[in-house]
Amino acid sequence: MAVPVEEAPVVERARDAAARESWAEAYVLLREADRHPSVALGPDDLDLLADAAWWAGHVDESVAARLRAHAGYVAAGDHRGAGQVAWWLHFEYRSLGRPATAAGWLHRSRHHLEDVPDCPEQCFLAWTDAEEAQEHRDPAAALAAARRMELLARDSGSPDLIALSRQAHAAVLLANGRRAEGLALLDDAMCSVTAGELSGMFTGFLFCLALTQCMEAADFGRAVEWTDAAMDWCEVPWSQHVRPAGPGAGAVEPAAPEPATGPRTAPDNPFRGLCRIHHVEVLDLLGAWTLAEAEAERVCSEVAVDSLDVAAGAYYEAGEIRRRQGRLDAAAAAYGHAHELGRIPQPGLALLRLAQGKADAAVTGLKLALACQSDPSHDLLGRARLLAAQTEVALAVGDPDSAAEAVGELEALAAEAPLLGAMADTARGALALARNEPALRPLRRALAGWLELRVPYEAGQVRMLLAAADRAAGDEEAARLELTAARAAFERLGAVPDARRAAALLSGRHRPLPGGLTGREAEVLRLVAEGGTNRDIAQALVISEHTVARHLNNIFAKLGVTSRTAATAYAYSHRLA
């Protein structure tokens, strides 16, 4: 049914707004036209309404409009249009957590497109084929599907599809260990993104996909660069965008400038929450904790109802920051929220339990998390973080064999990724210290790695280990320099427990310790003299209460005392407190 002449300007204005990616404006105009009793939007305009509703945050309306668009394409005998819309319905239903319905629409998409000649719409099916082949551990089929997608995209001439196909090909290569080739293709795809050559939908897609891959592959340099670009893109007023309209759009066509008197709506970019979670992770590593926590809160307010996993990630990152700041109750609450939303809050929760003196819970939590990671190669950074935490916990509870096993696997993962290399060197140095073996070489390598990556908290932790190694080698001046640098870094970050520990070590390093006490025993004694309970001491030194009790037994034996009161008197008389 044709649109009446008197209503045509509304639809045309809506199409123009969509061409400029002023989605809130397009949504209002198309909804107004659709509700008019004399207007019957065709399938193309209904598909446009679905896009506009999605960008405006009305997911249910987007699905409803796309269902009507599909029916319109079927009635018109347009199998390509019907197949494309069916694929997007598959995508939206999957995002809404309705896998059976999503599978049905994917089947319909295949049915519509299976007998038509090669066309751009088949790119999306090839992309799905590649992802499904990866899930079924069939790399040959995944690679074949990715290559078919590239050929279809190249024939289409669409910058959107060409960039997406290269990203999909890169994902297959990275998943199969072909890191250099995969990153080269990813760089190529991201050139189109950062140059502003793509539509908003595909720009957001590629930012989210690429940033996720970078973090999973522990490619911190690319993650920093592209996260900054993603956040700049997210903040651009969307009414000013001049890009092709809607999913599957082709070449860029400049639109006429918006009249000065017209609406200047700038809807929220639905990719903000998705991109911002990567921003939180990067800010966390770079040590901008206050900003990272604020960004995490923004993520939770921005994400759509179909992106609860993103909110879970934000809560987890907030918990990580609070734990290292010594805000243990707040950290526990954040980890709890992440768990409620479906994320296993490890290794952060295990390290929190260790700080609370609940070593058994820390050991068990990490063991289960490592066992539940069905495909460790899919998330190298996640696996590495679990292994690094397992090393720390195992050494804290006096289990060097388990620590050695974790270090071995961590080192096997570290090839070609500087972030993983720094993690592996840190763990190797900590293990060497615990075994009274030479530790300076791996620890200095680890420090150089963290400093080059500009990751201050981990660099401070390595300096603490280096101070112990320098002291064991008899170099007290080097130990003092490392502790001073570590304390300064922790104080800048707001890592209160670590700053307190570094300060305590500095206050007693200029003279030999009395009574045959070790450095750690002197730390424990100093905190006992300050009135700390075993739990307080465990939290301050980030060790278990069991370890504190063992240190106290050794202290009492060496000093010949039988009570905390007598130990406190000894500490004051020997200027240890």
Side-chain angles (χ1 to χ4, degrees), residues 187-199:
D187 288 344
D188 186 299
M190 293 305 291
C191 281
S192 299
V193 175
T194 55
E197 298 171 358
L198 309 182
S199 68

Side-chain angles (χ1 to χ4, degrees), residues 378-398:
H378 178 67
D379 184 1
L380 290 177
L381 182 56
R383 183 74 176 183
R385 283 172 163 162
L386 289 171
L387 293 168
Q390 186 182 39
T391 303
E392 182 177 343
V393 170
L395 292 177
V397 300

Side-chain angles (χ1 to χ4, degrees), residues 73-132:
Y73 282 126
V74 170
D78 184 348
H79 287 287
R80 286 178 55 179
Q84 179 74 91
V85 170
W87 189 90
W88 281 105
L89 283 166
H90 145 74
F91 174 83
E92 290 189 280
Y93 277 120
R94 186 178 63 179
S95 299
L96 289 168
R98 296 176 62 180
T101 306
W105 282 105
L106 179 60
H107 178 77
R108 281 198 177 187
S109 180
R110 295 189 192 280
H111 176 72
H112 285 303
L113 297 173
E114 63 185 354
D115 292 327
V116 302
D118 288 352
C119 59
E121 291 81 4
Q122 292 169 346
C123 278
F124 296 91
L125 291 179
W127 185 23
T128 303
D129 290 341
E131 291 185 333
E132 290 182 346

Side-chain angles (χ1 to χ4, degrees), residues 256-499:
E258 187 174 5
T261 56
R264 298 290 299 175
T265 55
D268 285 342
N269 175 358
F271 287 108
R272 288 189 183 199
L274 296 171
C275 289
R276 204 179 298 280
I277 186 60
H278 300 298
H279 194 214
V280 173
E281 293 174 318
V282 168
L283 290 172
D284 179 14
L285 282 168
L286 292 176
W289 290 354
T290 301
L291 181 56
E293 188 171 7
E295 287 285 89
E297 292 175 359
R298 290 184 67 182
V299 170
C300 295
S301 67
E302 288 179 354
V303 294
V305 293
D306 58 339
S307 300
L308 294 182
D309 56 328
V310 177
Y315 278 120
Y316 178 80
E317 290 299 327
E320 289 288 86
I321 294 166
R322 294 166 184 174
R323 173 178 60 81
R324 286 171 294 184
Q325 290 176 331
R327 299 156 57 198
L328 301 189
D329 290 341
Y335 290 142
H337 287 310
H339 185 265
E340 288 171 5
L341 295 174
R343 173 163 180 156
I344 298 175
Q346 296 291 4
L349 183 59
L351 295 174
L352 172 65
R353 295 304 180 223
L354 184 64
Q356 294 171 327
K358 302 174 182 178
D360 290 343
V363 171
T364 302
L366 283 174
K367 185 180 297 184
L368 291 173
L370 284 162
C372 287
Q373 199 176 32
S374 58
D375 185 8
S377 64
H378 178 67
D379 184 1
L380 290 177
L381 182 56
R383 183 74 176 183
R385 283 172 163 162
L386 289 171
L387 293 168
Q390 186 182 39
T391 303
E392 182 177 343
V393 170
L395 292 177
V397 300
D399 185 3
D401 291 340
S402 293
E405 183 179 345
V407 170
E409 184 180 346
L410 184 54
E411 288 177 328
L413 296 178
E416 301 183 54
L419 183 62
L420 299 187
M423 295 174 73
D425 287 332
T426 302
R428 172 59 65 186
L431 177 62
L433 268 178
R435 288 175 162 174
N436 295 316
E437 297 171 352
L440 286 173
R441 180 172 296 178
L443 289 174
R444 284 174 178 160
R445 198 165 55 232
L447 179 60
W450 291 123
L451 291 176
E452 184 175 352
L453 290 165
R454 296 179 294 140
V455 178
Y457 180 75
E458 280 72 11
Q461 292 284 8
V462 172
R463 288 190 186 279
M464 298 291 284
L465 295 170
L466 269 171
D470 287 331
R471 186 171 64 248
D475 193 343
E476 289 292 335
E477 183 176 8
R480 181 179 57 80
L481 289 172
E482 297 293 359
L483 289 170
T484 301
R487 181 178 65 176
F490 292 144
E491 288 175 347
R492 284 194 298 270
L493 290 166
V496 176
D498 295 289

